[in-house]
Amino acid sequence: MTDANSNLVAARDLVDTFVATLDRDEFDAWLGLFADDGYYAVLRQLELIQDNNVVLIGEDMKRLRARIESGRERDKRRTVHMVSGVRVAAGGNEVSAAFALWYDGIPTYSGRYLFELSGASGAWRIRKCTVVLDNDIIRAPIYMPI
Amino acid sequence: MTDILDGVIAGPESVDRRCYIDPAIYELEQKRVFEKAWLFVAHASELGNAGDFRTTELAGQPVIAIRGVDDRIRVFFNSCRHKGTTVVGEREGTCRKLKCPYHHWTYDTCGKLISVPRVEGYGKTFQLSQHGLVQVPRVANFKGLIFANLDPDAPSFEDYLGPAIPYLAEVAEYDGEDLVTLGSYRYSYAANWKLIMENTLDDYHAEYLHDYAFAQRAELFEMGGTSGFQEKEGARWSVDLGMHGAYDQYDDERTLKIQKRRQRRVYVGIFPGFIALYHPLWDVTGLRIVEPVSVAETNVLTYCLAPKSATHEQRKSIGEHFHFSWGPGGRAGVDDIVMFSRVQKGLHAKSVGPVLINRGMHRPDPVGGAADDHAVRGFWGGWRRHMMDETANAAGTVVQASANVGD
């Protein structure tokens, strides 16, 4: 298997684990995908372009853990994520994928995941996950990570 | 003739549940409130250069705010004089001219029609000068806040604000300095438009609904004092401004980790659907523009602003504090949005009786404690004035606001 192919396999596995742990409420495992200096952001395409930090979520690991700690008690919506189009950038440490998210069976959000990774392929840790929503209007509160 | 509002209670002590859930009352609000009131259109900093534009709707009518080459900001109906097409489809942008995509009728940034393809087809009497974009009847610029009114007979914006002027002026500038827009976005919630106005003017809920959020905030941002719990930190007053409302709070210096320049928290509600706030814990200035979609669906356009002189790092910091607390992903914002849906659902229990807005009613002065409903009652005074043609606030008095500002 070429490096490119093995990277793609590893990237698909990473993205699949990312959404599967969210959908199964395995949030400790989800947090474990991140590097110690990891960062998680949810925004729209416009905020990505403007880089204005007026985003929906933008949290380091400490705040992300706190969000999950409180959100577990308050956000009981069931989620299903679907992902497609997983790609690895030429440099090998950036992965992107399209996603769609259902809350309690209702299609609510879609967009792209942009991952910046550290470590070797197959043992990647997420240094930054940017969730770019396609939605112009944010139609549901975002408590737990999406 | 029977009016659908016959028998409806709308303050000052309580509010009939129909006001939130009856589609007929909602439709009447569009005519009597939103087609008559001053509504926010844009912030001047979004229209900094000639050709900068921003689109929105006023009572469902599409409009475009644009700075012309003559440096004047105008608000036009976003509708081509030819077939009615929206001339601009984007929410914001910049242009040298406005070209309708349908038949390429083209207007300059001052709204003049400057070209029509094969214009001879309209005959010799056709004049470009008579087919410019139509301006919204009334426009006002209050310290960078651009408001418009669809009613040509509406009072001036200053008269409309009345005693709310000093409160809005305090938030619209940063300690005398111009503010600029960092960013804005829309979110929606599944409930009546008035719930977020009441929520924002009701400081009573914050300590309870957002208790864990405040506790987390104190820990994560290493705040001292009592971290903004209002009953413990210099809560001062809520004020009924006749048609508008405001409240302030004086935060403990130990809590103000972010900055030290301004200590006073001020939230101002301008009837019907505009909130301006300054929050010293975060050094954040925010705007909320409430856009009714239906009786039980509302969009909120939310802005984050910063002083014009703020550095890149300061702007990043203000953005960070803004999104930590507010909006559909913010700690407190999520709480509120979830609660709106629950209130809307609960209001359908019609036999339970009216909802209460009477906290602090025993204090006859229009200025009550910060957790009182004086500001909420101000909002309902505006509702009665527009919906029921009530000429005076039922509370009977309008506070002389200047006495409460700057202390």
Side-chain angles (χ1 to χ4, degrees), chain A residues 53 59 63 66-67 142-143, chain B residues 212 216 316 320 328-329 331:
Chain A
N53 209 19
E59 298 188 330
R63 292 178 204 171
R67 169 180 290 276
I142 303 170
Y143 209 135
Chain B
Y212 81 93
Q216 275 203 346
K316 285 281 187 183
E320 179 186 354
R331 294 294 202 280

Side-chain angles (χ1 to χ4, degrees), chain A residues 18-68:
Chain A
F18 185 92
V19 298
T21 49
L22 287 176
D23 290 343
R24 296 171 190 211
D25 295 346
E26 296 170 356
F27 296 109
D28 293 334
W30 184 81
L31 285 166
L33 298 173
F34 284 79
D36 293 342
D37 62 347
Y39 194 82
Y40 175 79
V42 180
L43 39 71
R44 303 177 310 155
Q45 179 70 24
L46 186 63
E47 283 77 53
L48 187 68
I49 294 167
Q50 293 180 341
D51 190 26
N52 58 17
N53 209 19
V54 182
V55 298
L56 299 162
I57 296 176
E59 298 188 330
D60 61 16
M61 296 310 292
K62 187 178 177 184
R63 292 178 204 171
L64 196 52
R65 285 193 192 91
R67 169 180 290 276
I68 287 172

